[in-house]
Structures are given as structure tokens and as C-alpha cells.
Amino acid sequence: MFTFRRKRRAVAAVVGAAALAAATLAVGAWSADGRPGHGHGRQVDLQLLAINDFHGNIEAASSLTYPGVDGPVGGAEYLATHLEQAREGERYSTTVAAGDLIGASPFLSAVFDDEPTIESLNEMGVEVSSVGNHEFDAGFDELNRIIEGDEDFEGADFPYLGANVVDEATGEPVLDPYWIKRFKGGVKVGFIGMTLEGTGDIVSQSGIEGLEFLDEVETADQYARELERKGVNAIVVLLHEGGVPVAEDTGHDCESLDGTGTGMSGPIVDIAETMSPLVDVVITGHTHNEYVCSVPDPAGNPRMVTSASSYGKVFTQIDATYDKRTKDIVRSTVTGSNTVVTRDVEADGDQTDILEEYGPLAEEAGSRVVGHIAEDITRGATRAEEFPLGSLIADAQLWNTAGADEGGAEIAFMNPGGVRADLLYDQGTPGEATYGEVFTVQPFANYVVTLDLTGAQILAALQQQLPSEDRETTLVLQVSEGFTYTWDETREGTDQIVADSLELNGEPIVADQVYRVTVNSFLADGGDSFAAFAEGRNLLYGELDVDAFEDYIAEFGTADAPLEAPELGRITVVS
């Protein structure tokens, strides 16, 4: 069983409030002579440093905070310094990642197709990463460009692994399934990289045509055996799937910020409990949570499962003893800690150079004033509710496609996960909405698509907001003005969506009548498990969603009459 202890770090960066986030998972320290090994004899000290869900947050934004820490955190300049300090004196150290390093990025990175982020990670010393779902936002061809580079961009210096991303026709992986870190002295560690099996449901289908995303456990087991046959017994899985810390005791011995043990739920629990015992450590992501947990493997032995929050606010350090005779990690020696990336360290010069190169170019492109807003227009606290910014985007897409030549749209729907930031009154010059701010709200470069759906198909799409076998969470579609319905939480299952409550401009939606509906191309492909939209007919593709939003703000958000946040109530909730 794992036990917990606080870990004192000699690194000057981890001081004061930042120490609150250093949760260390440890078991009885073991070495042949009673002291940790440093590369002498049969045992050596192995160090893994890990990040996940970076999402292009290279800039030290003031909005990045962490509970219990005074002041903002994160930023590539400071993350790089923290990592370098953690590596000091470590001969057997490697820096790894668990996906979503790019995609859904702030303007500074996104406007340059995330090339600044890849350059930043190269300089930061990242040696390997799994792909995540957001690596496929712009399609597999663009991911290949990011990896390989082109005439103007050198690409990633590290391999992007995708063991469970295969060609449908051949069943063979289209990315490297694993990578072996070969240290001096014959020390070898194998890394298997995967994205979540459900990636195909949450990215645009047009960009992943011909690809299949396989079961995480079966894939990990397959390549763990292959690594073992190659004489690599120390195996780490980098998996872009994760869990959620919970207050109740689930038997997983997670560590919370206040030092008390907590439990764990979510998809990673079953995955980690059934994945081959050949795997020594599982480094995860996707859920944007911070945890260091113990999940027993199928042999009943404790196995560390970690995640480092998101956006570069936290990094994970895993320490272990590697036995040269067995060529394996001594599982009982594994310790782990999560450390907040405070900004009380010297900024890394290479990262500063990258920011100084791209910053002025991004500022010039992003500072253009699009229109004016009268107040904050915000997202919801969760994706399971109606919120003003979602309504505004749905209104913009309806307006953009309502004309006969543009699609003849009558209704628009927006997926809540596609709204990535608030539109704030005081973000820059009060009341001005800039292109950079608008882009940050909708960074995915989806197109607006208008299609035919019957009233019955619209009802089906609304019912697909509820949890199902394909998706565990509730996602509330944001709806355009004029469309209303009732969500009765006192009912069971899909009956919560009251069928006879659907109305368009006060008139009932008729089951067999055809309506012109606008969604983004992600939803049109059935993204987020909204399969009903993929049944649409007579598709007409329009402009980019961010351009439609920009045009709407310019038209209706003048200096004399700035845009106000739409009132809620298009969805009537009965509870």
C-alpha cells in the first residue's frame, strides 16, 4: 500500500504557498545499501517529469491561477526553469507529456497554427508525448505537419505517440506506438502513448477520415508485451484520458492539497485497474485535474497514476529506482509529487526569445477592434447549463446563415465545449472586443454548416444532451433566439426533454417537418456524440465560425449601441 509524506525540495522555486500543491506519494524507500542510488552499481535513480493539457499556454497570462497560491502561475518561461531546476543533478531524467499540448490554444499560439508552442516545447526539453484529442483539431494531415515540419517550420523534436490511432483499412498505427528512452549504461525505459478511445466522437470527422481509435487497455497490453520481448521491462504509459478526484474514500489513496487522502473516479480507474501489470506508471491527462494516486493493477500491486492539472500550471515529478539486473522499475520505490509552477524563479531565456519573436506579430493581428460590448458576456460554470456567450454565438451563426443564399437557417445550435473563453468588458480597452479576444473564444477553425433536419431529428439531438453509453456527461446545446423548449429534470431519461415543448418563434416544432439548422462543422460530423446532426441532409458550408462571430459583433456591437449579454430562458428548466 502506498503511504504519503510531504516531500522537502531543495529547489528554491517551491516555497511558501506553492508547497501546498506538492503532494508526494511514496512507499518505503528501497535500495541495496539503504541509500538512494545515483547511478552507481546495480540500481540507479530514475526521474520522470511530466505535463499534460498544455493547450498552447506559452504566455504567462494573469488569468492562470492555482488554489492556495498567491498570484498567477504558469507560463513557458517559468515552467522551463522549474523543469530545469528539477533535473539538476539527475543523470537519468526525461521529460514527457500526456497530450493536448496544442489545440484550443490562446491567440498567441493559435494564430500561428501552434508553431510557437511546438518551438517552446522543443526548447523546454520535452522528449516524448502522447497525442490527445486536441492534436486532431485541425485534422491528421495538419498533425503530421506539426510533427514533421515544412519548409518554414522545423516541426517537433520529440515523437508524438499514438498506439491506438490506427488506419481502418490495415489496423496498423499511423503514429509511432511507443518510444524507448536509452540512457547510458544500458538503462532503458519504454513509453507507450495513446489518446482516449472516444477521440473520434469529440473531434471533427472530416479531419480523421479513415482513422480508428482503439481500446486503451488492449492497446497498452499489446505494446507492453512487445516492449518486454525487446528486453524493455520498465514501461510507462502516457494516456490522454483521466479521472476526477473525489472526497470519498475509493481505495485509490489520492492526495489532496490539504494533505488528506481522497479517492478517484472517472474512466481512468477501470483502465488502470485492468491494464497489464507490465506497466509500471500511468501518466494521464484530458480531465484537467491534478492528482497523484495509487490504483492497484490486475496483480493487486499498487501502481502510480498521475495528472498535472492543465495549461502548464503544474508539473509532475516521479522518482523511482531502476534495477539494471531486472531492467525494470522497482515498483515499491516509486514516489510522485505535483508542483505548482510559481513565477518566483528566473525566466528562461530561450522561452523569452520565442515570446519576443511572436508576441509583436500576434499583438498586431489581435489588437484590431472588431466591435463593442456593454458588459461581460460569459460562459457557464459548467457545460451542463445555458449561458449567455453560448446564446450569443448561436445567434451569430443563425444571423450569418439566415439569408436564402447563405443557407436559409431557422435555428442554430452551439456545442458548449466549443466556447473556450469569456468575452470580458475590461479585458483590454473597456468595451472593445478585439479580434484576438474573439478568436480566443472560438479557436477551433470550424465552419458554419447549414443542413436539413426534421423536427424529430431536432428532438433527438436535444435528447442526446443527456448522458449515454457514448458520453458520461451532460452537454447542454446553446440555442439561438426564437427556439425554446422545456427540460424537466423530474422526469426520467430522455423524457426530460419535453417533446411537445419545442417551439420556433412560438409555433410548435412538427416532427415530420423539415427545418434548416445551422451548427459548426464539428457538430455536423456528429461530434460530442450528437449523432442526430450527422443525419442532416443538403449541407451548405459557410465561412469559419470565428469569422461569423466577428461579423456579428461588428454589425450589432457599435460604439453607440454595444452588444449586451443575451438573457437566459430559451431553455426552461423544471427541477
Side-chain angles (χ1 to χ4, degrees), residues 55-75:
H55 290 291
N57 278 264
I58 57 176
E59 193 171 23
S62 60
S63 59
L64 291 181
T65 60
Y66 198 89
V69 177
D70 185 20
V73 301

Side-chain angles (χ1 to χ4, degrees), residues 310-376:
S310 59
Y311 307 141
K313 297 184 292 186
V314 169
F315 73 93
T316 301
Q317 178 173 328
I318 299 169
D319 298 298
T321 296
Y322 178 96
D323 189 306
K324 290 183 177 180
R325 181 181 62 81
T326 63
K327 300 180 181 180
D328 204 353
I329 289 171
V330 180
R331 187 82 69 86
S332 64
T333 68
V334 179
T335 65
S337 61
N338 278 332
T339 301
V340 174
V341 178
T342 55
R343 296 183 187 173
D344 54 357
V345 297
E346 184 178 351
D348 179 87
D350 291 330
Q351 300 296 325
T352 301
D353 290 344
I354 293 171
L355 293 170
E356 289 180 348
E357 175 186 357
Y358 286 101
L361 300 174
E363 184 176 357
E364 180 180 354
S367 62
R368 177 171 54 84
V369 177
V370 170
H372 297 79
I373 57 176
E375 58 188 323
D376 290 348

Side-chain angles (χ1 to χ4, degrees), residues 295-315:
V295 180
D297 67 19
N301 298 316
R303 176 164 55 195
M304 183 173 289
V305 179
T306 71
S307 179
S309 186
S310 59
Y311 307 141
K313 297 184 292 186
V314 169
F315 73 93

Side-chain angles (χ1 to χ4, degrees), residues 120-138:
S120 171
L121 296 168
N122 288 343
E123 293 293 341
M124 203 177 293
V126 172
E127 293 195 86
V128 64
S129 179
S130 68
V131 289
N133 54 286
H134 281 288
E135 264 78 23
F136 295 91
D137 280 347

